[in-house]
Amino acid sequence: MNKRDSIAPQPILLRDYVVPAFLLDRVDLTFELDETSTRVSSRLVLHRNPDHPVSDADLVLDGHELMLESVLLDGEPMSTDRYDVDDESLTIKGLGESAILEITTRIEPQKNTSLMGLYKSNGNFFTQCEAEGFRKITYYLDRPDVMTRFTTTIIADRSKYPVLLSNGNRVGEGQYDRNRHWVKWVDPFKKPSYLFALVAGKLSCLQDSFTTRSGRKVALEIYVEPQDLEKCHHAMESVKRSMKWDEDVYGLEYDLDSYMIVAVSDFNMGAMENKGLNIFNTKYVLARPETATDADYMGVEAVIAHEYFHNWTGNRVTCRDWFQLSLKEGLTVFRDQEFTADMTSRAVKRIDDVRTLRTAQFAEDASPMAHPVRPDSYIEINNFYTVTIYEKGAEVVRMYHTLLGAEGYRKGIDLYFKRHDGQAVTCDDFAAAMGDANGFDFTQFKRWYSQAGTPVVKVVSQFDAANQTYTLDISQTCPPTPGQPEKLPFHIPIALGLLDAAGAEIPLQLAGEASLQGTTRVLQLTEASQRFVFTGISAQPTPSLLRGFSAPVKLDYPWTRQELAFLMAHDSDSFCRWEASHTLIREVLLELIAAARASETLSLPGELVDAMRRALLDEAADPALIALMFTLPAETYLADQVDEIHPDAIRTAREYLRVALAKALRSEFKHTYARFCGATQAYRYAAVDIAKRALKNVCLGYLTSLDEPAFIELAQTQFQQANNMTDSQAALAALVELPQGATALADFANRWQDDPLVMNKWFTLQAMDKRADALDRVRALQQHPAFQITNPNKVYALLATFCSSNLAGFHRADGAGYAFAAEQILVLDKLNPQVASRLARSFNRWKKLEPTRRAQAKTALEKLAAHADLSRDVFEIISKNLA
């Protein structure tokens, strides 16, 4: 027996949910912040929950890494025989129907490297409480269905911590003693403990205001370290755009006197929606043209929108338990996706989101970590902040929108808020509101919440010239996933159109309908297989399937390359135009991978060259769309398309295609680069400029792959003269693996060595290095002064990028990449289990590897599993991978 077996953490099950034994009427918190030890005093006004099945249940308060000083019940000290304390809880026995409990504890934030609970970063205090961090602050009913009003008083040294922030509205402040001051905050809205926040430190503030549609003036404040104040203006504009959009599109108004954002560099996540006091990773606040790329600007805007939108979809209405996490996250991701689509390019945003879904979430669905949008169980809830919960969850919400239409969706959302404002609810409650508002039965649709895996939709078409009909036979299957060997049919909306020989849209009418119903139809696939017959089709059409990616499925249709080229040129649906190019490139790459495995000569199909040439020369097309057409699928995505992963063959095939396309379209790439290069202009964050930079830099990447002096000089000139980080980073990426790359990397580091976020880009570029010595480079970079293993951003930029995205580098034939990852996971697990567990997911594809690598990866996983002191976070990932 493995020594771990006898102490393996046990899963928490959705079916075991029981309402809390006690509820809270209010909580008063007092923090006495100190350099070595912080005292936390809580006053809990509580009463028994009449809905709990045990009328005399003990009060069990969650607590972890706390030093208990005192417990008072209704003002009197409690004798020690009335309560029990262990490593995870404080249990109070024999309470009556109501009580006032006062608990004082001490904690040591300066030693907290997990970045959960209260911790210090660069001399300042911060909190992160979602999902279960509040229990590291004080003993509490740390679960999302216990909601109450918080009053928070913070006491600290005025000279060291002049800024003291918490949730809600500031109601008082003053001098506590000779050196210390205090600030009192009251949050008028009930919230669970995971939304609590506290910040204290020396921070500068960018101030502005927003007037709501009802005329209320809201103070807007962004707090950062003093040297970063100039980088906050884009974030502030993003806040105002988000507030306006939520009023215009959802009718939702902000509800406090102030809205605050605080940026911190040591943070596990992207940001956190704590009520009124959002704490952000600096990555999603700080931006100026010289240091932030177009993608960074979009990321700042999107994440600020996401956290602001949580004020209603997550805060005012929260989740009953953590199994319902996608109730708030999937819904809010959909909202931020739609916001970004309205702020930038709807077509490009949709394609970007689908690329993320296919590369990351489809891979998760096909891995040992596959789980439903609403999981049935977990060992460590931190492991379920996944692309399935977020991105697939957003696709589920998008399908409500597709099935109901914009008006029906809005009716459902309005009813959801009317019914559940101030409550902790479930995914079923959301589905019920959507259905009741529209008279729509979502019973079958809810299988999207309970069944894991990516459905495969197969389409077979048949044209009948004599009867002028076009028939689509559509079937669905879903592969088995852990714990779910068989699946019932999903309710799948399939948006489609038909194009005639000239590329024009054909008006559509299904058999049995009285009239034409437009040129894009949404078919509802609810059975294992169904037949749809379109009438009045006079000539063979070309189908445009899954328009807008109307469902998170894999489409199986026998396209010819001529049909794909036709759709690339003519489809009115931008997603389907891109999808045609993506499908054509994917098919070619799969053939090249097979040839590389067989050591056959690789060749470039003429149909692909012709289709890509036409796209590149289409000056009427959106440059951003063309740039996406020329962005080759990631190696990790290609790994998910094959039955057995041979990393070297995948890399060989992808690199061959990149260089072959560059050779075949050399003059077109050169022409297009020159077309968008032009004179140096001031940077603008505008969709038209973003599109031009995107295509220009894609062309530069192809040209430098030819390793010709003239094109290398182009990249060097752009690198030296760029007035924005988008162009600078693109040029550096084009040079990094060439002999000239070493000088460019040194110049870049010398210029930006004092900017942590820019240095993270430097680490990431080198972690993706395709040369054979990439692992040695990564090891060497760990010794660089700009790298700190205690900072999650640094770990993600260097270690996670190498292990998760550098396919051939991580999956080295000698197994050294696996040994390296295991070594780093163990180091990180002692410091920050959340970050360690994310790195452990690098092994998720190991069962699909070719036999030699598969055996090496398994050995590394088994060595990890043999460690008896693994955190629950890492244990869950490793054990599921080995199951």
Side-chain angles (χ1 to χ4, degrees):
M1 175 183 287
N2 186 313
K3 60 183 177 180
R4 167 58 98 163
D5 292 345
S6 61
I7 57 171
Q10 296 303 302
I12 297 168
L13 306 177
L14 171 59
R15 67 170 181 261
D16 292 340
Y17 172 82
V18 178
V19 298
F22 289 82
L23 300 173
L24 291 168
D25 298 316
R26 62 173 291 173
V27 58
D28 300 315
L29 298 172
T30 301
F31 289 80
E32 297 176 62
L33 303 177
D34 187 77
E35 296 302 291
T36 58
S37 178
T38 290
R39 176 182 280 117
V40 182
S41 302
S42 68
R43 182 176 182 270
L44 310 179
V45 181
L46 50 86
H47 66 272
R48 286 191 177 275
N49 184 354
D51 296 329
H52 192 270
V54 180
S55 60
D56 60 348
D58 293 340
L59 171 64
V60 180
L61 300 175
D62 301 298
H64 186 57
E65 298 177 356
L66 304 175
M67 294 172 280
L68 181 62
E69 286 195 347
S70 64
V71 183
L72 277 68
L73 175 62
D74 295 329
E76 298 293 329
M78 287 191 73
S79 61
T80 54
D81 61 351
R82 290 284 305 278
Y83 63 84
D84 294 323
V85 182
D86 59 29
D87 291 342
E88 300 292 337
S89 62
L90 168 64
T91 301
I92 312 290
K93 308 170 187 175
L95 289 182
E97 290 301 308
S98 63
I100 297 177
L101 200 62
E102 297 172 78
I103 303 171
T104 301
T105 58
R106 282 191 177 272
I107 54 178
E108 297 177 319
Q110 72 281 0
K111 296 181 180 179
N112 183 2
T113 61
S114 73
L115 311 183
M116 291 293 292
L118 181 65
Y119 66 93
K120 293 197 77 174
S121 171
N122 201 21
N124 301 317
F125 286 94
F126 301 92
T127 57
Q128 171 57 33
C129 294
E130 188 177 357
E132 296 177 339
F134 194 78
R135 63 191 61 190
K136 297 183 72 172
I137 294 174
T138 185
Y139 289 104
Y140 197 80
L141 286 162
D142 190 14
R143 47 189 289 172
D145 56 353
V146 176
M147 303 173 69
T148 191
R149 292 178 176 85
F150 281 70
T151 296
T152 304
T153 302
I154 311 169
I155 303 166
D157 186 303
R158 181 184 291 275
S159 63
K160 295 178 179 177
Y161 310 105
V163 174
L164 303 177
L165 308 175
S166 192
N167 309 88
N169 298 317
R170 185 197 304 255
V171 298
E173 58 186 307
Q175 195 71 18
Y176 187 77
D177 56 28
R178 183 175 180 180
N179 298 316
R180 296 184 292 171
H181 68 135
W182 62 273
V183 177
K184 186 175 184 179
W185 295 83
V186 173
D187 189 345
F189 295 95
K190 295 197 305 181
K191 66 173 180 284
S193 55
Y194 84 84
L195 290 172
F196 173 80
L198 178 151
V199 172
K202 286 185 177 179
L203 299 167
S204 295
C205 180
L206 178 65
Q207 296 179 313
D208 206 327
S209 65
F210 178 83
T211 302
T212 69
R213 62 179 183 169
S214 66
R216 292 178 52 252
K217 188 174 182 179
V218 178
L220 306 179
E221 300 170 347
I222 299 180
Y223 291 87
V224 294
E225 293 189 15
Q227 71 273 13
D228 292 326
L229 193 61
E230 63 172 322
K231 302 176 185 176
C232 297
H233 296 284
H234 174 63
M236 183 63 81
E237 292 305 310
S238 298
V239 172
K240 291 188 285 186
R241 285 192 289 269
S242 302
M243 298 178 87
K244 178 69 164 58
W245 187 88
D246 216 17
E247 289 185 349
D248 292 345
V249 178
Y250 280 82
L252 299 174
E253 189 173 315
Y254 189 64
D255 51 12
L256 290 171
D257 297 339
S258 65
Y259 176 69
M260 299 173 286
I261 285 174
V262 180
V264 56
S265 60
D266 293 305
F267 203 68
N268 287 334
M269 303 181 183
M272 179 62 209
E273 70 266 20
N274 320 293
K275 182 69 178 180
L277 177 58
N278 291 182
I279 300 178
F280 273 66
N281 191 317
T282 51
K283 175 179 174 64
Y284 294 109
V285 173
L286 308 181
R288 60 186 176 96
E290 296 82 5
T291 61
T293 63
D294 291 333
D296 294 329
Y297 268 80
M298 286 187 276
V300 168
E301 186 173 60
V303 175
I304 281 179
H306 181 95
E307 305 309 331
Y308 174 75
F309 297 156
H310 265 312
N311 186 61
W312 281 90
T313 50
N315 296 3
R316 289 284 289 260
V317 183
T318 193
C319 49
R320 184 196 73 177
D321 54 74
W322 291 121
F323 298 100
Q324 319 293 331
L325 180 58
S326 195
L327 173 73
K328 72 182 186 76
E329 294 302 346
L331 174 55
T332 306
V333 169
F334 172 71
R335 277 157 47 74
D336 83 54
Q337 289 175 349
E338 287 295 286
F339 166 77
T340 300
D342 285 344
M343 296 300 109
T344 56
S345 163
R346 178 163 292 273
V348 170
K349 174 59 178 170
R350 186 62 185 139
I351 293 165
D352 280 339
D353 291 337
V354 173
R355 290 175 64 215
T356 297
L357 188 81
R358 285 175 168 169
T359 301
Q361 196 282 318
F362 282 15
E364 187 166 81
D365 259 349
S367 79
M369 288 302 298
H371 60 275
V373 168
R374 179 173 54 195
D376 297 318
S377 68
Y378 62 81
I379 291 175
E380 173 51 62
I381 184 55
N382 290 327
N383 284 332
F384 282 84
Y385 285 75
T386 63
V387 283
T388 297
I389 299 296
Y390 281 68
E391 274 68 30
K392 188 173 183 178
E395 295 300 315
V396 172
V397 177
R398 186 175 295 276
M399 286 189 287
Y400 282 109
H401 191 283
T402 299
L403 289 167
L404 298 174
E407 184 178 344
Y409 170 80
R410 175 65 189 270
K411 286 168 59 180
I413 283 286
D414 288 348
L415 180 59
Y416 175 65
F417 291 130
K418 182 179 179 180
R419 282 181 175 175
H420 300 299
D421 188 11
Q423 297 178 13
V425 298
T426 68
C427 297
D428 292 321
D429 294 317
F430 184 81
M434 285 290 170
D436 292 348
N438 292 279
F440 196 104
D441 185 358
F442 281 104
T443 301
Q444 180 182 355
F445 181 84
K446 289 196 295 183
R447 290 173 187 165
W448 284 105
Y449 291 114
S450 59
Q451 294 186 157
T454 305
V456 177
V457 172
K458 184 175 182 178
V459 180
V460 177
S461 64
Q462 181 180 348
F463 172 63
D464 184 338
N467 293 307
Q468 295 195 345
T469 61
Y470 186 70
T471 301
L472 295 178
D473 288 303
I474 308 179
S475 60
Q476 60 167 302
T477 57
C478 190
T481 53
Q484 294 184 336
E486 296 181 1
K487 309 295 173 67
L488 295 172
F490 289 86
H491 185 163
I492 303 175
I494 302 174
L496 58 79
L498 300 178
L499 305 184
D500 66 18
E505 300 273 345
I506 300 174
L508 301 179
Q509 182 176 353
L510 284 168
E513 293 179 339
S515 61
L516 297 171
Q517 302 289 324
T519 57
T520 296
R521 299 294 303 272
V522 177
L523 306 181
Q524 297 187 41
L525 179 65
T526 57
E527 306 295 333
S529 61
Q530 286 171 248
R531 170 168 287 187
F532 301 90
V533 180
F534 293 95
T535 61
I537 308 297
S538 59
Q540 175 76 52
T542 300
S544 169
L545 302 174
L546 211 64
R547 286 188 157 180
F549 199 66
S550 58
V553 302
K554 294 181 179 180
L555 183 64
D556 180 0
Y557 182 81
W559 306 103
T560 66
R561 289 181 177 175
Q562 291 73 25
E563 287 175 320
L564 292 171
F566 179 82
L567 291 170
M568 285 176 63
H570 298 291
D571 204 321
S572 63
D573 184 272
S574 295
F575 171 80
C576 285
R577 281 193 70 188
W578 170 82
E579 175 78 319
S581 69
H582 170 80
T583 302
L584 182 54
I585 289 172
R586 182 188 65 209
E587 288 189 2
V588 170
L589 278 167
L590 292 177
E591 290 179 0
L592 292 172
I593 290 167
R597 282 184 57 185
S599 300
E600 296 173 356
T601 301
L602 306 187
S603 61
L604 182 63
E607 308 100 311
L608 177 61
V609 174
D610 292 340
M612 300 304 282
R613 177 180 287 111
R614 283 193 295 270
L616 196 56
L617 293 178
D618 183 0
E619 296 193 3
D622 179 359
L625 179 61
I626 305 304
L628 286 169
M629 287 182 172
F630 276 89
T631 302
L632 298 183
E635 292 179 346
T636 49
Y637 170 82
L638 295 170
D640 297 324
Q641 308 306 304
V642 296
D643 294 330
E644 187 174 87
I645 300 172
H646 290 254
D648 296 330
I650 291 173
R651 174 155 295 175
T652 297
R654 190 177 184 276
E655 287 305 295
Y656 168 81
L657 180 59
R658 186 167 72 103
V659 175
L661 280 174
K663 290 177 179 177
L665 302 175
R666 183 181 183 278
S667 61
E668 289 85 357
F669 282 128
K670 184 178 178 181
H671 167 77
T672 305
Y673 179 84
R675 176 181 162 213
F676 290 120
C677 193
T680 301
Q681 299 178 0
Y683 177 88
R684 288 193 314 164
Y685 176 66
V688 62
D689 290 9
I690 293 168
K692 291 176 180 178
R693 283 190 289 269
L695 184 51
K696 175 188 71 174
N697 288 322
V698 164
C699 291
L700 182 65
Y702 276 100
L703 290 171
T704 52
S705 72
L706 297 174
D707 199 11
E708 295 180 14
F711 298 139
I712 294 171
E713 186 177 346
L714 272 185
Q716 290 176 311
T717 300
Q718 178 170 311
F719 178 70
Q720 293 160 3
Q721 297 181 358
N723 66 355
N724 64 84
M725 182 53 68
T726 303
D727 287 344
S728 178
Q729 180 176 291
L732 181 59
L735 293 168
V736 71
E737 292 170 16
L738 299 172
Q740 297 82 358
T743 300
L745 284 167
D747 290 347
F748 190 89
N750 184 59
R751 181 179 181 186
W752 299 113
Q753 58 187 320
D754 296 326
D755 191 311
L757 293 179
V758 179
M759 289 302 292
N760 289 347
K761 303 177 193 301
W762 187 76
F763 285 125
T764 295
L765 282 175
Q766 295 176 86
M768 288 297 295
D769 195 319
K770 293 187 285 292
R771 288 172 290 187
D773 61 349
L775 176 56
D776 296 333
R777 292 171 186 271
V778 170
R779 281 194 179 277
L781 286 168
Q782 285 185 278
Q783 308 307 314
H784 193 277
F787 181 83
Q788 299 95 34
I789 200 164
T790 54
N791 179 273
N793 285 351
K794 303 296 181 188
V795 174
Y796 301 150
L798 182 63
L799 305 185
T801 296
F802 173 76
C803 294
S804 298
S805 301
N806 193 331
L807 191 74
F810 175 59
H811 297 284
R812 277 175 41 154
D814 61 2
Y818 309 136
F820 172 74
E823 167 195 319
Q824 301 304 315
I825 289 164
L826 291 174
V827 171
L828 284 163
D829 202 29
K830 299 298 183 185
L831 299 170
N832 191 326
Q834 276 193 60
V835 176
S837 71
R838 293 188 189 185
L839 193 61
R841 290 175 184 268
S842 305
F843 286 95
N844 282 0
R845 292 181 176 90
W846 77 274
K847 290 183 180 179
K848 282 187 64 178
L849 291 165
E850 53 82 18
T852 300
R853 287 177 170 88
R854 186 162 65 241
Q856 292 165 335
K858 184 178 182 182
T859 297
L861 285 166
E862 288 174 339
K863 287 181 178 178
L864 280 169
H867 285 262
D869 57 349
L870 288 179
S871 68
R872 290 189 307 175
D873 307 63
V874 171
F875 171 78
E876 182 168 27
I877 303 298
I878 300 303
S879 61
K880 286 186 174 181
N881 263 290
L882 286 172

